[in-house]
Amino acid sequence: MNTTQVAVDLAKSVFQVSVSHAPGRVDEQHRLSRRRFRTFFLHHPPTHVLLEACGSAHHWGRELQGLGHQVSLLPPAHVARYRQGNKTDRADAKALLEDARNEDIVPVPVKSLDQQSITALHRLRSGYLATRTSRINTVRGLLREFGLPVPQGPRAFLAKAPIALDDDKLPTYLKTALTQALLEIKELQAKADDLKSQLERLAPLIPSVSFLMTVPGIGILSATALVATVGDVQRFPSGRSFANYLGLTARESSSGASRRLGPISKRGNRYLRMLLIHGARSALLAAHRTHEPDSLQTWALRTAQARGHNIATVALANRIARIAWRVWRDKRPFQRRPPEKENAV
C-alpha cells in the first residue's frame, strides 16, 4: 500500500514541497519555482497531495488532479495547530502532513471552474456593495455637518441626496465633490446589479439552484452561493451537520453531566451565513403578513412571540439550512405543509 504523501506550502512564486514515505517523517524537501513546481508533479508518480485551502489552492488542486494525483485541501485553522516552532515554509508543510493524520479533519472539496467563477462573481458584488455603503455613510455624515440629514438605506439615499446637494448651505466646490461621490455610488450600485443579473442568467443552467429556490428565504443569491461554495451536499450526513458547517448551531460548553448551549458558533463561511440570516428575516416578515401561515411560518411566528424577533430570525435560518440540505440532497422541491401536519426536517 502506497503511503507516500506530498505536502505543499503554496505561495505566489516559490513553493515548499515536503515528501513523506512514512507517517510522522519527512524524507524529502524541495523548494520549487512556479514553473518547476508543475514539472515536478508532471513526472512524479500519482500520489496523495496535501494543500492548505488558501489562495490559489483550488487552481492548483484542479491542475494536480488533472495530472492524476489525489488532492486534499486542509482548512488553514486546523493546519496552524500542528505547526511547531516558528512559522516557516518548512514548518507549514510539515504541519500539513501532521494534520492529514487526524481523521476528524474534513478536507475542503476542490472547486470546479464553474463553482469558482460563481464564487468570484459573488465576491465582486459583495465588494462593490461594501464600497458603496462606505461612500454612502461618508456622504451622509458630511451632509449632516451642514444640517442636511439624508435617510438611511441606499434606495432612500439615492432618492434624497440630489435634493440635499441643491441646498444653498453647501459651497459650490463642495457640491462638485459630493456630486462626483454620488455618481460613484450610482456606478457601484449599477455594477452590483449587473453582477446579480449575470447570476440570474446562470441560475437556470444549474439544476440544484432551482430546487433550493423553492425553500422560503432562499433566492438567487443564496442558492448560487450555496452551490458554488458547498459543492457536494452529499458529504454532510444530516441537516444538523450542514447547519453546523454554516455556523448556525449553538456553541456548546459542556463538562460531565452539565451541558451548556450558548449563541450560534459562527463557524464556517460568514457570507453564506449572512445570506441565510437575511433570507430568514425576509421569510419571517412574510409570515407576519400572510393570513394563512403554513407549518414553517407558524413555527417561526411562535418562536418570535416566545423569544423575540432576532432570536427567531437566526433560529429560522438554522431551520432553512436544514430544509435546504434535505431538498438539495433529495433533488425535490420544498412543499409547504399546513400547521397540523408539521414534521421536523
Side-chain angles (χ1 to χ4, degrees):
M1 180 178 178
N2 185 11
T3 60
T4 298
Q5 290 182 324
V6 181
V8 179
D9 182 52
L10 295 173
K12 295 178 181 178
S13 55
V14 179
F15 303 84
Q16 180 67 37
V17 177
S18 297
V19 182
S20 173
H21 299 301
R25 188 179 71 200
V26 176
D27 299 289
E28 299 177 33
Q29 295 275 7
H30 302 278
R31 192 167 178 83
L32 306 174
S33 65
R34 190 181 186 89
R35 180 179 59 81
R36 292 177 58 206
F37 175 74
R38 194 179 189 284
T39 304
F40 174 85
F41 282 101
L42 181 63
H43 299 293
H44 197 284
T47 189
H48 187 195
V49 183
L50 307 173
L51 305 175
E52 196 173 22
C54 57
S56 76
H58 291 281
H59 162 71
W60 287 114
R62 291 190 297 269
E63 287 280 324
L64 296 174
Q65 285 177 341
L67 297 176
H69 300 287
Q70 176 191 351
V71 178
S72 294
L73 303 185
L74 303 178
H78 294 296
V79 175
R81 298 172 186 169
Y82 289 90
R83 186 190 306 120
Q84 296 182 1
N86 296 323
K87 188 183 185 310
T88 63
D89 293 345
R90 285 195 175 197
D92 288 342
K94 181 64 164 34
L96 282 165
L97 292 170
E98 294 299 322
D99 187 19
R101 296 169 62 184
N102 188 342
E103 296 181 354
D104 291 334
I105 304 299
V106 180
V108 178
V110 178
K111 283 186 174 64
S112 67
L113 197 61
D114 289 337
Q115 288 175 324
Q116 193 148 19
S117 299
I118 293 174
T119 302
L121 291 179
H122 276 275
R123 287 185 177 179
L124 284 170
R125 180 180 177 276
S126 181
Y128 287 144
L129 293 180
T131 305
R132 179 211 63 182
T133 301
S134 175
R135 296 292 185 274
I136 288 176
N137 291 339
T138 299
V139 174
R140 285 186 68 245
L142 293 174
L143 289 174
R144 192 166 56 245
E145 295 293 336
F146 292 88
L148 300 171
V150 180
Q152 291 182 342
R155 186 177 300 177
F157 172 84
L158 291 174
K160 299 296 183 180
I163 300 175
L165 291 180
D166 287 336
D167 196 284
D168 294 335
K169 296 178 183 178
L170 293 176
T172 303
Y173 56 84
L174 182 57
K175 285 184 180 180
T176 302
L178 291 176
T179 300
Q180 291 175 349
L182 187 60
L183 290 174
E184 182 186 7
I185 292 169
K186 292 179 178 179
E187 183 179 354
L188 290 167
Q189 182 65 58
K191 289 180 178 179
D193 293 341
D194 181 62
L195 289 175
K196 185 177 180 181
S197 298
Q198 290 188 45
L199 291 170
E200 290 173 346
R201 291 192 294 271
L202 287 171
L205 305 177
I206 311 171
S208 299
V209 169
S210 59
F211 294 117
L212 288 171
M213 288 183 62
T214 64
V215 180
I218 293 185
I220 284 287
L221 294 177
S222 299
T224 54
L226 282 169
V227 171
T229 305
V230 175
D232 183 15
V233 75
Q234 301 291 345
R235 62 193 176 102
F236 298 99
S238 65
R240 176 178 172 77
S241 66
F242 183 57
N244 183 54
Y245 163 79
L246 297 171
L248 290 169
T249 54
R251 184 188 299 121
E252 185 171 358
S253 178
S254 303
S255 178
S258 176
R259 189 183 186 203
R260 296 184 180 89
L261 297 179
I264 59 173
S265 66
K266 295 186 180 180
R267 299 188 184 100
N269 191 296
R270 181 183 302 177
Y271 180 69
L272 289 180
R273 187 168 57 254
M274 178 268 293
L275 290 177
L276 287 175
I277 290 177
H278 283 343
R281 187 172 288 112
S282 176
L284 184 56
L285 180 62
H288 281 289
R289 292 176 175 175
T290 187
H291 298 293
E292 297 182 359
D294 58 25
S295 62
L296 181 64
Q297 291 173 327
T298 301
W299 174 86
L301 291 173
R302 288 174 180 169
T303 305
Q305 186 176 11
R307 302 297 304 276
H309 181 81
N310 289 336
I311 291 179
T313 297
V314 178
L316 181 57
N318 183 321
R319 190 149 182 170
I320 287 173
R322 297 178 187 222
I323 294 173
W325 169 83
R326 184 70 174 269
V327 166
W328 193 355
R329 186 199 66 174
D330 296 345
K331 298 203 178 333
R332 59 175 176 83
F334 172 74
Q335 295 181 348
R336 297 178 182 272
R337 299 173 181 173
E340 63 272 16
K341 295 182 181 180
E342 180 180 4
N343 290 316
V345 175

